[in-house]
Structure formats: structure tokens, C-alpha cells
Amino acid sequence: MCTKQAESKPLANVIVIGAQWGDEGKGKITDLLSRSADVVVRSQGGVNAGHTVVVGDRTFKLHLIPSGILGPETECIVGSGTVIDPQVLLEEIDRLKELNVSLQNLFISQTAHVTMPYHRLIDKAAEERRGKHKIGTTGRGIGPTYGDKSERTGIRMIDIIHEEDLRKKLEWTINYKNVILEKLYHLPPLEPKAVIEEYLIYGDRLRPHVVDSSLKIATAVQERKNILFEGAQGTLLDLDHGTYPYVTSSNPIAGGACVGAGVGPTIIDRVIGVAKAYTTRVGEGPFPTELEEEVGKLLGERGAEFGTTTGRRRRCGWFDAVIGRYAVRINGMDCLAITKLDVLDELEEIKVCVAYELDGETCHHFPSNGNLFAQAKPIYQTLPGWQQSTANCRSLEDLPKQALNYLHRLAELMEVPIAIVSIGASRHQTIIVEDPIHGPKRALLDANGTPVTSYHDSDQFQL
């Protein structure tokens, strides 16, 4: 059961985070939960993240805008911890408008930092220079944007909507960056005037959406609104707690959501982690359970494992309960959403990594030493597959016995209950074990607006 729901508060403020290396299906889970939320907040990351949401016969690919935007009554806030490429954001806005999605409830933090052309150029050039030591950056300028933020030379949203401030800051900054582009990377310099004019146009278009996001969220808290904090990437990509240096440049963990949204941890009621029924990873870095033979290819094909943002093929492997337990601990997770269970439907047997072998010894905990982690050999438990489709299952009792046993084992290994099981990309292909926001007495609605049965009160179905 999801815990920590205060008796005096009928609703809940929930953080949704990735429990693996990202791409866990957080977009679908956020979309599902946002129908019970008043406010959805994106707290970190940039256009290097992507969420795919399938509604009926339409597929929405979102990069900066919170998944809750598909709910007409839901306020969506892009928090100060994000980094914003205004060109990409405006393209995303235009695409949503073409699909008749209202953007009137989209709000952008005035203190969020802005990705500039020199960030993208430096990102790509630096990755090329690393050669065999490359870290797998998307080349979207995210790292350099966060770097300028730390160096206190960054441009923020509030700057691009004030012409005098933008001119004053960019005239110096672009000349400084041109030295790096020309001398270090042998690239042509940027023209300050052209960049300034381009970003002033972006600022004019985005101006109606720019707000004091921390104040807006605080007001929602005071009004006892239901707030969902949407994470990007995953725990193992966290700058401080991930598989460094093969990580992102922000903090995708639950604590990072508080910082990036501008709220205190005392307002958070629970944290739900999202994990695939297997494991994937994009880019470079150690991956103990990676499968390079036929099973790995099967998972990639059945799971359509290509990045939403980059289109890069994702590496696939068995479920890793060691990194799973680590994610539970780092984030203080209350419950889990397991996605893509259906991808395993055809397998005769399924393996789960329960521990690592390191220097001849059994290790049950994630090693923070990157060199040690690269040497970790998975210790597997083998479970029988179910070899039948789960795509049309709508309750736990519909699932094959072996699929239920698999879920029970994951919950046992992760030491946290499973609240949601996804068996397909569509909204209706979801089994709600327990509503993580309202609790078992107030079930979520399915795609048709019908309450979904909660099995929380039945020991037979509790995961």
C-alpha cells in the first residue's frame, strides 16, 4: 500500500520519477495520474528528455511540456530547474495547437535557464573531442546550459522577455563563447546581433506563459490543490547519485523535484517510481544485465525501444533489482508502476538480476564506484514465462498466473508495492492496483471516464 497520506488532507502531492536509466514510460503514468491532478510540474531536464503519450489513435511526443497538458483543466508548469530551448518549445506548442490541444494552462518559470546556440555547438564539439571517452550526450546543449547556470553566466527566461537585459548580457557572453568556438573547437563565430534578435522573437511569443512558478505552486499548495511533479530521465542518470560520468546534468531523483520546482519536502505526500518490466539504457556506460543476443533484440523490437528525443536505439537487458532497490532508497519511493509487462509475453523464461558478483563475492547493493559497477556480473534468478498475450488484460485476475508471480517477485525484490501495471501504450491498457493519489477508496478513471476497480482491499490481488 502507498503510505504517508495525511488524514487531514484528502488529496496528495505526488512525485513521479524514473527508477532506472530513463525511458521507463513516465509519460504514460503521468498522463494517467494527471487526470486526478490539478497541477502538473516539470522540475528538471530539458529537450534531452522525451515522453510519449498515446491517446486513442493519436500519439503525442512531448519534450518540455508536462504530460498533463492533455487534460484541459490541468495547469502545467515548467519549473525553474528545467533548461529550455525556446525554439524546440515553440515547435512543440505549435504541434499541440495543430492537434487542438489547449495551451492556455501552460506556465513557464521566469528563472528557468535558456539553451542558446553556443550551448548546442559546444555540446556536440566537446563530445566529438572525447573520442572513445564519449559519454553519450544528446548534443542538445543541456550540459553546457547547466554549466553556465553553475558558473552564473546563464541566460534565463526572464532575460529573453526583457530586451535591454538580454542585449546587455548576450553581447558580452557571445563574444566570450566565440573565443571558445574559434580557438578550441575551430568553429565559425556566432553573430551577437542575429542571436539577440532571434531570442527576442522567442521571448515575445513565450511572454504570456512566463510566470513566477514558485509562487504559483505555493498558491496551489495553499488552495489544497492536487499537485503532480513529473520527473524526466531516471535515477541512474542523476548527476550526484547515478552512474557518473554517464549521467545527465541535473537531478532526476525525488529530492531534485523539490529543488527544481521551488517547494519544500514537507509538502510531498508520496513518491511513485516507474520501472519497465525489463531494463533499458541509451548511450554509453556500464549495463550489467545487457543482452546482445536474440532476446535483447526481441525486447527492443517488441518494446519499440527507440529514444523519443533522439531516435537512438536503446540497449535492452533483464530487470535489475539491485539498481531497483537503490532507486527505492535514494528516492524514498512509496510504490511502483511497472510498464511494458506485455513485452515479455513471448518469452519461455525470464531472468531477474537479484545481486552482483564483484571480486568473487556476492553484492546486494549498488556500488557507487563506477569502476566497480563496470565489473559487476549479474546473479540471476530464472522465472517461468507465460507465453500468452497480456495486452487485453484489464485487472490482475486477468493476468496469467506466471505474470502475476513475476510481478510479486519484483515487488518482493524491490521491497515496495506495485500500484500500477501497464500492458500496452494506450491509456486503457493499464491495471490499477491502487490509486497512488487518492488511495484505494477513490479509483482512477479509465479512458472512457469509468472508475477503474482497485484491488487494494483484497489480499488475493495485493502486490
Side-chain angles (χ1 to χ4, degrees):
M1 167 178 138
C2 295
T3 58
K4 297 196 295 190
Q5 184 172 6
E7 292 182 2
S8 61
K9 185 180 182 192
L11 301 180
N13 298 327
V14 178
I15 297 174
V16 177
I17 53 90
Q20 296 163 322
W21 276 286
D23 307 309
E24 301 95 346
K26 296 181 295 297
K28 176 182 176 178
I29 302 304
T30 302
D31 170 63
L32 178 75
L33 298 179
S34 67
R35 286 175 285 162
S36 299
D38 302 301
V39 181
V40 179
V41 182
R42 167 79 180 273
S43 54
Q44 48 76 220
V47 297
N48 57 337
H51 289 164
T52 300
V53 180
V54 178
V55 181
D57 60 353
R58 296 196 297 176
T59 298
F60 299 86
K61 293 184 180 295
L62 305 170
H63 301 278
L64 280 166
I65 297 175
S67 303
I69 200 66
L70 303 182
E73 304 297 325
T74 308
E75 292 186 344
C76 291
I77 300 173
V78 182
S80 61
T82 61
V83 291
I84 295 173
D85 186 324
Q87 179 182 2
V88 176
L89 177 57
L90 285 166
E91 290 172 356
E92 195 168 324
I93 287 173
D94 291 339
R95 282 197 301 271
L96 288 172
K97 285 181 177 178
E98 290 173 1
L99 294 169
N100 296 318
V101 176
S102 173
L103 278 300
Q104 65 177 2
N105 284 331
L106 174 64
F107 303 97
I108 304 165
S109 174
Q110 62 186 4
T111 55
H113 280 249
V114 177
T115 296
M116 306 298 296
Y118 46 79
H119 291 138
R120 294 189 292 269
L121 291 169
I122 290 173
D123 194 5
K124 292 176 182 178
E127 182 76 344
E128 289 177 6
R129 278 287 185 93
R130 292 187 182 101
K132 65 178 182 179
H133 302 292
K134 63 181 180 178
I135 59 176
T137 173
T138 62
R140 301 301 181 95
I142 307 302
T145 308
Y146 276 114
D148 279 5
K149 177 178 180 178
S150 297
E151 288 186 353
R152 291 155 290 182
T153 58
I155 303 299
R156 304 193 295 179
M157 287 300 299
I158 198 169
D159 297 320
I160 71 170
I161 62 173
H162 289 96
E163 181 174 348
E164 184 178 346
D165 291 341
L166 186 66
R167 291 189 184 279
K168 187 184 301 182
K169 291 183 178 182
L170 274 186
E171 284 174 357
W172 179 87
T173 303
I174 292 177
N175 286 326
Y176 169 67
K177 296 295 182 180
N178 278 341
V179 174
I180 298 173
L181 290 171
E182 291 182 277
K183 303 298 183 183
L184 182 58
Y185 296 117
H186 308 295
L187 294 172
L190 293 167
E191 171 54 51
K193 183 178 178 181
V195 174
I196 292 169
E197 295 303 322
E198 177 186 357
Y199 277 72
L200 285 174
I201 293 172
Y202 296 151
D204 283 340
R205 285 197 61 192
L206 292 171
R207 188 187 310 275
H209 300 284
V210 178
V211 298
D212 182 337
S213 60
S214 180
L215 177 59
K216 192 165 188 62
I217 297 169
T219 302
V221 172
Q222 291 172 353
E223 294 174 352
R224 300 176 65 77
K225 289 185 176 180
N226 199 20
I227 306 173
L228 187 64
F229 297 88
E230 176 186 68
Q233 286 103 17
T235 299
L236 276 296
L237 292 178
D238 187 88
L239 181 60
D240 291 288
H241 303 285
T243 50
Y244 191 89
Y246 305 102
V247 294
T248 192
S249 302
S250 59
N251 295 105
I253 60 172
C258 294
V259 176
V263 301
T266 53
I267 76 156
I268 304 301
D269 293 293
R270 58 180 65 92
V271 178
I272 178 169
V274 184
K276 280 177 183 167
Y278 49 102
T279 309
T280 63
R281 178 167 197 172
V282 172
E284 307 299 320
F287 185 180
T289 67
E290 183 172 11
L291 297 167
E292 297 181 353
E293 69 275 16
E294 287 303 311
V295 175
K297 294 178 181 177
L298 175 67
L299 295 177
E301 291 171 2
R302 284 185 54 82
E305 295 299 351
F306 296 91
T308 302
T309 298
T310 63
R312 291 186 293 179
R313 181 181 293 275
R314 297 172 186 145
R315 300 152 65 190
C316 298
W318 296 120
F319 189 91
D320 189 333
V322 180
I323 67 170
R325 284 192 298 271
Y326 176 72
V328 169
R329 170 163 61 89
I330 290 294
N331 293 286
M333 287 182 202
D334 296 285
C335 48
L336 282 170
I338 297 295
T339 63
K340 294 196 173 184
L341 182 68
D342 56 300
V343 173
L344 305 179
D345 285 352
E346 296 182 3
L347 299 179
E348 183 177 350
E349 61 179 28
I350 301 166
K351 294 183 180 181
V352 178
C353 173
V354 297
Y356 298 145
E357 180 187 328
L358 278 173
D359 295 329
E361 297 185 2
T362 300
C363 177
H364 293 277
H365 302 288
F366 171 74
S368 58
N369 183 317
N371 292 328
L372 281 179
F373 184 61
Q375 299 169 30
K377 297 179 180 179
I379 298 174
Y380 288 118
Q381 176 185 1
T382 301
L383 300 172
W386 42 95
Q387 294 187 284
Q388 63 185 89
S389 176
T390 58
N392 293 319
C393 295
R394 295 296 175 265
S395 68
L396 289 178
E397 60 189 345
D398 292 338
L399 289 172
K401 180 181 177 181
Q402 293 88 344
L404 265 179
N405 290 340
Y406 182 70
L407 292 172
H408 276 290
R409 185 56 178 148
L410 296 190
E412 184 178 55
L413 288 167
M414 297 276 278
E415 301 175 354
V416 69
I418 295 172
I420 297 172
V421 180
S422 173
I423 32 77
S426 298
R427 277 178 169 177
H428 67 275
Q429 292 179 301
T430 311
I431 299 171
I432 308 298
V433 184
E434 178 184 341
D435 181 344
I437 292 183
H438 292 130
K441 302 302 182 184
R442 299 178 64 184
L444 291 173
L445 302 181
D446 66 16
N448 299 315
T450 304
V452 179
T453 304
S454 168
Y455 293 105
H456 169 73
D457 293 327
S458 170
D459 291 336
Q460 181 182 359
F461 295 110
Q462 196 168 10
L463 292 174

